[in-house]
Amino acid sequence: MGVRYKLTATQIKHLRPGKYNDGGGLWLHKREGGAGQWFLRVTVHGRRREMGLGGLYDVSLAEAREEADRWRSVVRSNKDPIKERARIRKEADRGDHTLASVTAAAFKARQAELKGDGKAGRWLSPLNIHVLPKLGRVPIEEIDQQDIRNTLAPIWHEKADTARKAMNRLGIVIRYAAAMDLDVDLQATDKARALLGKQRHTAKNIPSVPWPDVPSFYASLSEPTVGNLALKFLVLTTARTTEIRFCRENEIKDDIWTIPSDRMKSGNEHRIPLPHQALEILEQAEIWQKDGYFFWSQRTVISDAAMSGIMKRRDMPERPHGFRSSFRTWCAEATDTPREIAETALAHTAGGKVERAYRRTDFLDQRRDLMQRWANHVAGKL
């Protein structure tokens, strides 16, 4: 192996820039300004490898020699010291690669493509509620199809849509872990689906208030609380709860509310002509307004529960989203509104791809009349 321990601590202080051999494959690369780097040069599996052992200011000569002895013994075991060190570090870091921590990192990476940066928490909620309480502390590399099956089995048929979302998002997290170079099973979720079998659950539509009964419900929201005002605005506009909650003053121009694409389920900007009853609601909501948002509650905009809770406290099975169905049924049964106009009012895609390519209108004028007629019905002013 040749002469070892050629360098001394005193000598190192006065060395000029260059590479110096301490023996046994241990080298010091001295740089301008006095800095330097220790590295070990060895041959393993027929190829030369250079392994960094730390900076001159951080690792003393004695420590560098000790580290060199350690990794030379690894070479004698016919192992690559660089790969072995990476494996050891990876093992030591496993506590930071629990399912919960990787989920948080995967969510952060996806936030930009989620509506409103995912601040509403809907992307995470199936995992937060049904997966992470059971598997959150488990290293993601240890999670297999059996773990996933046992976790989602209780809701696989009873809450099929939630279970499906949890499974899909768990698959995204596992693929993110694979991109982190973690040793995960990319087929774990597919295997778990095979173990769980086909879902028996039949999807149920969200209950809705029959359109003839909407006026009496609307009239019952007489107290001008922020929740009541938001729910009345939702009934009048047939918008979704998230669109209502984040409604801002700068989105309203004259009688047009323009909802930006990042808040729309379709991903397309949507214009809603506001009937005069809706404009009156916004005037009443000015006392709650903050930072440009109409429906503010304490520290932030009102929550989803603020509107649905009003109906729950009345023991109603219907929910706010159901008023979109109330409106659509009213269009079909009480008016002669063409299908494409009614669907456009709900920001639904109407017609085939070719038809949409040639149809360059959102029927704003026709919808202005339609929404005023709906508002008159809702407010009991036929």
Side-chain angles (χ1 to χ4, degrees), residues 17 36 41 52 58 60 103 138 156 158 203 232 234 239 245 247 275 290 297 299 312 342 358 375:
R41 181 178 291 169
D58 301 319
S60 68
T103 296
V138 179
W156 188 245
E158 297 302 319
K232 290 174 76 173
L234 177 145
R245 292 168 55 220
C247 179
K290 184 176 180 181
S297 177
R299 299 180 181 179
K312 286 181 180 179
Y358 282 94

PDB file of all heavy atoms in Angstrom, residues 17 36 41 52 58 60 103 138 156 158 203 232 234 239 245 247 275 290 297 299 312 342 358 375:
ATOM      1  N   PRO A  17      -1.510  25.860  -3.114  1.00  0.00           N
ATOM      2  CA  PRO A  17      -2.602  25.180  -3.806  1.00  0.00           C
ATOM      3  C   PRO A  17      -2.093  24.013  -4.634  1.00  0.00           C
ATOM      4  O   PRO A  17      -1.061  24.103  -5.300  1.00  0.00           O
ATOM      5  CB  PRO A  17      -3.196  26.285  -4.696  1.00  0.00           C
ATOM      6  CG  PRO A  17      -2.889  27.554  -3.958  1.00  0.00           C
ATOM      7  CD  PRO A  17      -1.541  27.328  -3.341  1.00  0.00           C
ATOM      8  N   GLY A  36      -9.662  23.779   1.423  1.00  0.00           N
ATOM      9  CA  GLY A  36      -9.226  22.507   0.859  1.00  0.00           C
ATOM     10  C   GLY A  36     -10.285  21.442   1.022  1.00  0.00           C
ATOM     11  O   GLY A  36     -11.288  21.631   1.712  1.00  0.00           O
ATOM     12  N   ARG A  41      -9.047   8.101  -2.797  1.00  0.00           N
ATOM     13  CA  ARG A  41      -8.967   7.528  -4.141  1.00  0.00           C
ATOM     14  C   ARG A  41      -8.741   6.028  -3.997  1.00  0.00           C
ATOM     15  O   ARG A  41      -7.746   5.594  -3.410  1.00  0.00           O
ATOM     16  CB  ARG A  41      -7.836   8.179  -4.922  1.00  0.00           C
ATOM     17  CG  ARG A  41      -7.680   7.678  -6.358  1.00  0.00           C
ATOM     18  CD  ARG A  41      -6.558   8.420  -7.057  1.00  0.00           C
ATOM     19  NE  ARG A  41      -6.906   9.831  -7.292  1.00  0.00           N
ATOM     20  CZ  ARG A  41      -6.019  10.749  -7.689  1.00  0.00           C
ATOM     21  NH1 ARG A  41      -4.730  10.411  -7.840  1.00  0.00           N
ATOM     22  NH2 ARG A  41      -6.400  11.988  -7.909  1.00  0.00           N
ATOM     23  N   GLY A  52     -15.326  12.094  -1.703  1.00  0.00           N
ATOM     24  CA  GLY A  52     -15.088  13.241  -0.848  1.00  0.00           C
ATOM     25  C   GLY A  52     -15.281  12.901   0.623  1.00  0.00           C
ATOM     26  O   GLY A  52     -16.223  12.195   0.991  1.00  0.00           O
ATOM     27  N   ASP A  58     -13.438  21.688   8.117  1.00  0.00           N
ATOM     28  CA  ASP A  58     -14.409  20.913   8.896  1.00  0.00           C
ATOM     29  C   ASP A  58     -13.848  19.590   9.402  1.00  0.00           C
ATOM     30  O   ASP A  58     -14.328  19.062  10.413  1.00  0.00           O
ATOM     31  CB  ASP A  58     -15.644  20.625   8.033  1.00  0.00           C
ATOM     32  CG  ASP A  58     -16.322  21.892   7.550  1.00  0.00           C
ATOM     33  OD1 ASP A  58     -16.423  22.847   8.342  1.00  0.00           O
ATOM     34  OD2 ASP A  58     -16.736  21.927   6.373  1.00  0.00           O
ATOM     35  N   SER A  60     -10.413  17.419  10.434  1.00  0.00           N
ATOM     36  CA  SER A  60      -8.974  17.482  10.746  1.00  0.00           C
ATOM     37  C   SER A  60      -8.232  16.355  10.036  1.00  0.00           C
ATOM     38  O   SER A  60      -8.853  15.423   9.497  1.00  0.00           O
ATOM     39  CB  SER A  60      -8.763  17.364  12.249  1.00  0.00           C
ATOM     40  OG  SER A  60      -9.107  16.062  12.701  1.00  0.00           O
ATOM     41  N   THR A 103     -46.224  12.945   1.549  1.00  0.00           N
ATOM     42  CA  THR A 103     -47.505  13.497   1.088  1.00  0.00           C
ATOM     43  C   THR A 103     -47.463  15.016   1.098  1.00  0.00           C
ATOM     44  O   THR A 103     -47.911  15.675   0.148  1.00  0.00           O
ATOM     45  CB  THR A 103     -48.656  12.993   1.971  1.00  0.00           C
ATOM     46  OG1 THR A 103     -48.769  11.577   1.838  1.00  0.00           O
ATOM     47  CG2 THR A 103     -49.980  13.642   1.560  1.00  0.00           C
ATOM     48  N   VAL A 138     -45.732   5.667   8.930  1.00  0.00           N
ATOM     49  CA  VAL A 138     -45.014   4.524   8.346  1.00  0.00           C
ATOM     50  C   VAL A 138     -44.087   5.018   7.237  1.00  0.00           C
ATOM     51  O   VAL A 138     -44.505   5.824   6.387  1.00  0.00           O
ATOM     52  CB  VAL A 138     -46.012   3.505   7.763  1.00  0.00           C
ATOM     53  CG1 VAL A 138     -45.281   2.332   7.125  1.00  0.00           C
ATOM     54  CG2 VAL A 138     -46.973   3.020   8.852  1.00  0.00           C
ATOM     55  N   TRP A 156     -64.376   1.353   1.063  1.00  0.00           N
ATOM     56  CA  TRP A 156     -64.248   1.036  -0.355  1.00  0.00           C
ATOM     57  C   TRP A 156     -65.601   0.969  -1.061  1.00  0.00           C
ATOM     58  O   TRP A 156     -65.753   1.424  -2.194  1.00  0.00           O
ATOM     59  CB  TRP A 156     -63.497  -0.286  -0.526  1.00  0.00           C
ATOM     60  CG  TRP A 156     -63.135  -0.608  -1.946  1.00  0.00           C
ATOM     61  CD1 TRP A 156     -63.594  -1.641  -2.710  1.00  0.00           C
ATOM     62  CD2 TRP A 156     -62.242   0.130  -2.789  1.00  0.00           C
ATOM     63  NE1 TRP A 156     -63.034  -1.607  -3.958  1.00  0.00           N
ATOM     64  CE2 TRP A 156     -62.195  -0.522  -4.041  1.00  0.00           C
ATOM     65  CE3 TRP A 156     -61.473   1.277  -2.607  1.00  0.00           C
ATOM     66  CZ2 TRP A 156     -61.420  -0.069  -5.100  1.00  0.00           C
ATOM     67  CZ3 TRP A 156     -60.702   1.737  -3.662  1.00  0.00           C
ATOM     68  CH2 TRP A 156     -60.681   1.060  -4.891  1.00  0.00           C
ATOM     69  N   GLU A 158     -68.746   1.718   0.846  1.00  0.00           N
ATOM     70  CA  GLU A 158     -69.679   2.656   1.476  1.00  0.00           C
ATOM     71  C   GLU A 158     -69.433   4.099   1.033  1.00  0.00           C
ATOM     72  O   GLU A 158     -70.373   4.880   0.899  1.00  0.00           O
ATOM     73  CB  GLU A 158     -69.555   2.549   3.003  1.00  0.00           C
ATOM     74  CG  GLU A 158     -69.925   1.190   3.561  1.00  0.00           C
ATOM     75  CD  GLU A 158     -71.350   0.802   3.207  1.00  0.00           C
ATOM     76  OE1 GLU A 158     -72.231   1.686   3.262  1.00  0.00           O
ATOM     77  OE2 GLU A 158     -71.587  -0.371   2.861  1.00  0.00           O
ATOM     78  N   ALA A 203     -73.425   5.583  -7.282  1.00  0.00           N
ATOM     79  CA  ALA A 203     -73.333   7.024  -7.026  1.00  0.00           C
ATOM     80  C   ALA A 203     -74.715   7.630  -6.822  1.00  0.00           C
ATOM     81  O   ALA A 203     -75.674   7.282  -7.515  1.00  0.00           O
ATOM     82  CB  ALA A 203     -72.629   7.708  -8.193  1.00  0.00           C
ATOM     83  N   LYS A 232     -77.910  33.002  -0.226  1.00  0.00           N
ATOM     84  CA  LYS A 232     -78.876  33.638  -1.120  1.00  0.00           C
ATOM     85  C   LYS A 232     -78.216  33.999  -2.459  1.00  0.00           C
ATOM     86  O   LYS A 232     -78.802  33.819  -3.527  1.00  0.00           O
ATOM     87  CB  LYS A 232     -79.457  34.896  -0.456  1.00  0.00           C
ATOM     88  CG  LYS A 232     -80.365  34.585   0.719  1.00  0.00           C
ATOM     89  CD  LYS A 232     -80.814  35.843   1.447  1.00  0.00           C
ATOM     90  CE  LYS A 232     -81.886  36.593   0.679  1.00  0.00           C
ATOM     91  NZ  LYS A 232     -82.448  37.715   1.465  1.00  0.00           N
ATOM     92  N   LEU A 234     -75.713  32.443  -3.760  1.00  0.00           N
ATOM     93  CA  LEU A 234     -75.498  31.169  -4.449  1.00  0.00           C
ATOM     94  C   LEU A 234     -76.769  30.729  -5.156  1.00  0.00           C
ATOM     95  O   LEU A 234     -76.737  30.293  -6.314  1.00  0.00           O
ATOM     96  CB  LEU A 234     -75.044  30.114  -3.440  1.00  0.00           C
ATOM     97  CG  LEU A 234     -74.840  28.692  -3.969  1.00  0.00           C
ATOM     98  CD1 LEU A 234     -73.670  28.022  -3.242  1.00  0.00           C
ATOM     99  CD2 LEU A 234     -76.091  27.825  -3.796  1.00  0.00           C
ATOM    100  N   ALA A 239     -74.012  29.457  -8.807  1.00  0.00           N
ATOM    101  CA  ALA A 239     -72.566  29.184  -8.798  1.00  0.00           C
ATOM    102  C   ALA A 239     -72.240  28.139  -7.735  1.00  0.00           C
ATOM    103  O   ALA A 239     -73.072  27.814  -6.869  1.00  0.00           O
ATOM    104  CB  ALA A 239     -71.794  30.468  -8.522  1.00  0.00           C
ATOM    105  N   ARG A 245     -67.606  31.770  -2.222  1.00  0.00           N
ATOM    106  CA  ARG A 245     -66.790  32.125  -1.052  1.00  0.00           C
ATOM    107  C   ARG A 245     -65.702  33.129  -1.403  1.00  0.00           C
ATOM    108  O   ARG A 245     -65.408  34.026  -0.623  1.00  0.00           O
ATOM    109  CB  ARG A 245     -66.164  30.858  -0.466  1.00  0.00           C
ATOM    110  CG  ARG A 245     -67.149  29.904   0.171  1.00  0.00           C
ATOM    111  CD  ARG A 245     -66.512  28.560   0.474  1.00  0.00           C
ATOM    112  NE  ARG A 245     -65.328  28.740   1.285  1.00  0.00           N
ATOM    113  CZ  ARG A 245     -64.198  28.060   1.131  1.00  0.00           C
ATOM    114  NH1 ARG A 245     -64.084  27.177   0.144  1.00  0.00           N
ATOM    115  NH2 ARG A 245     -63.174  28.278   1.925  1.00  0.00           N
ATOM    116  N   CYS A 247     -65.625  35.237  -3.956  1.00  0.00           N
ATOM    117  CA  CYS A 247     -66.085  36.320  -4.823  1.00  0.00           C
ATOM    118  C   CYS A 247     -65.481  37.642  -4.355  1.00  0.00           C
ATOM    119  O   CYS A 247     -65.568  38.001  -3.181  1.00  0.00           O
ATOM    120  CB  CYS A 247     -67.609  36.386  -4.785  1.00  0.00           C
ATOM    121  SG  CYS A 247     -68.302  37.713  -5.790  1.00  0.00           S
ATOM    122  N   PRO A 275     -78.721  39.285 -11.737  1.00  0.00           N
ATOM    123  CA  PRO A 275     -80.023  39.950 -11.635  1.00  0.00           C
ATOM    124  C   PRO A 275     -79.965  41.006 -10.535  1.00  0.00           C
ATOM    125  O   PRO A 275     -79.061  41.005  -9.700  1.00  0.00           O
ATOM    126  CB  PRO A 275     -80.966  38.794 -11.269  1.00  0.00           C
ATOM    127  CG  PRO A 275     -80.088  37.774 -10.628  1.00  0.00           C
ATOM    128  CD  PRO A 275     -78.753  37.884 -11.299  1.00  0.00           C
ATOM    129  N   LYS A 290     -64.016  42.456   3.299  1.00  0.00           N
ATOM    130  CA  LYS A 290     -62.654  42.720   3.758  1.00  0.00           C
ATOM    131  C   LYS A 290     -61.677  42.266   2.688  1.00  0.00           C
ATOM    132  O   LYS A 290     -61.861  41.207   2.077  1.00  0.00           O
ATOM    133  CB  LYS A 290     -62.377  41.989   5.078  1.00  0.00           C
ATOM    134  CG  LYS A 290     -61.002  42.317   5.659  1.00  0.00           C
ATOM    135  CD  LYS A 290     -60.808  41.653   7.023  1.00  0.00           C
ATOM    136  CE  LYS A 290     -59.424  41.998   7.588  1.00  0.00           C
ATOM    137  NZ  LYS A 290     -59.189  41.363   8.899  1.00  0.00           N
ATOM    138  N   SER A 297     -65.371  36.155   7.059  1.00  0.00           N
ATOM    139  CA  SER A 297     -65.759  35.736   8.405  1.00  0.00           C
ATOM    140  C   SER A 297     -64.519  35.651   9.279  1.00  0.00           C
ATOM    141  O   SER A 297     -63.674  34.774   9.087  1.00  0.00           O
ATOM    142  CB  SER A 297     -66.456  34.374   8.366  1.00  0.00           C
ATOM    143  OG  SER A 297     -66.780  33.932   9.666  1.00  0.00           O
ATOM    144  N   ARG A 299     -61.176  35.686  10.230  1.00  0.00           N
ATOM    145  CA  ARG A 299     -59.825  35.799   9.686  1.00  0.00           C
ATOM    146  C   ARG A 299     -59.701  35.466   8.212  1.00  0.00           C
ATOM    147  O   ARG A 299     -58.648  35.663   7.619  1.00  0.00           O
ATOM    148  CB  ARG A 299     -58.868  34.892  10.477  1.00  0.00           C
ATOM    149  CG  ARG A 299     -58.768  35.256  11.955  1.00  0.00           C
ATOM    150  CD  ARG A 299     -57.799  34.319  12.652  1.00  0.00           C
ATOM    151  NE  ARG A 299     -57.690  34.635  14.076  1.00  0.00           N
ATOM    152  CZ  ARG A 299     -56.934  33.960  14.945  1.00  0.00           C
ATOM    153  NH1 ARG A 299     -56.220  32.929  14.509  1.00  0.00           N
ATOM    154  NH2 ARG A 299     -56.896  34.307  16.217  1.00  0.00           N
ATOM    155  N   LYS A 312     -78.047  21.995   7.242  1.00  0.00           N
ATOM    156  CA  LYS A 312     -77.920  20.877   8.177  1.00  0.00           C
ATOM    157  C   LYS A 312     -78.648  21.167   9.482  1.00  0.00           C
ATOM    158  O   LYS A 312     -79.308  20.291  10.060  1.00  0.00           O
ATOM    159  CB  LYS A 312     -76.442  20.599   8.463  1.00  0.00           C
ATOM    160  CG  LYS A 312     -75.691  19.918   7.344  1.00  0.00           C
ATOM    161  CD  LYS A 312     -74.244  19.659   7.743  1.00  0.00           C
ATOM    162  CE  LYS A 312     -73.465  18.983   6.636  1.00  0.00           C
ATOM    163  NZ  LYS A 312     -72.046  18.750   7.023  1.00  0.00           N
ATOM    164  N   ALA A 342     -79.091  26.859 -21.074  1.00  0.00           N
ATOM    165  CA  ALA A 342     -79.210  26.409 -19.679  1.00  0.00           C
ATOM    166  C   ALA A 342     -77.908  25.794 -19.193  1.00  0.00           C
ATOM    167  O   ALA A 342     -77.467  26.036 -18.057  1.00  0.00           O
ATOM    168  CB  ALA A 342     -80.354  25.402 -19.560  1.00  0.00           C
ATOM    169  N   TYR A 358     -67.096  25.918 -33.447  1.00  0.00           N
ATOM    170  CA  TYR A 358     -67.751  26.895 -34.311  1.00  0.00           C
ATOM    171  C   TYR A 358     -68.635  27.871 -33.525  1.00  0.00           C
ATOM    172  O   TYR A 358     -68.951  28.953 -34.014  1.00  0.00           O
ATOM    173  CB  TYR A 358     -68.604  26.169 -35.365  1.00  0.00           C
ATOM    174  CG  TYR A 358     -67.775  25.605 -36.497  1.00  0.00           C
ATOM    175  CD1 TYR A 358     -67.324  24.296 -36.465  1.00  0.00           C
ATOM    176  CD2 TYR A 358     -67.436  26.393 -37.593  1.00  0.00           C
ATOM    177  CE1 TYR A 358     -66.560  23.775 -37.497  1.00  0.00           C
ATOM    178  CE2 TYR A 358     -66.675  25.893 -38.629  1.00  0.00           C
ATOM    179  CZ  TYR A 358     -66.231  24.580 -38.580  1.00  0.00           C
ATOM    180  OH  TYR A 358     -65.469  24.077 -39.604  1.00  0.00           O
ATOM    181  N   ALA A 375     -84.281  34.682 -10.841  1.00  0.00           N
ATOM    182  CA  ALA A 375     -84.264  35.469  -9.624  1.00  0.00           C
ATOM    183  C   ALA A 375     -85.661  35.927  -9.223  1.00  0.00           C
ATOM    184  O   ALA A 375     -86.015  35.954  -8.036  1.00  0.00           O
ATOM    185  CB  ALA A 375     -83.335  36.671  -9.794  1.00  0.00           C
TER     186      ALA A 375
END
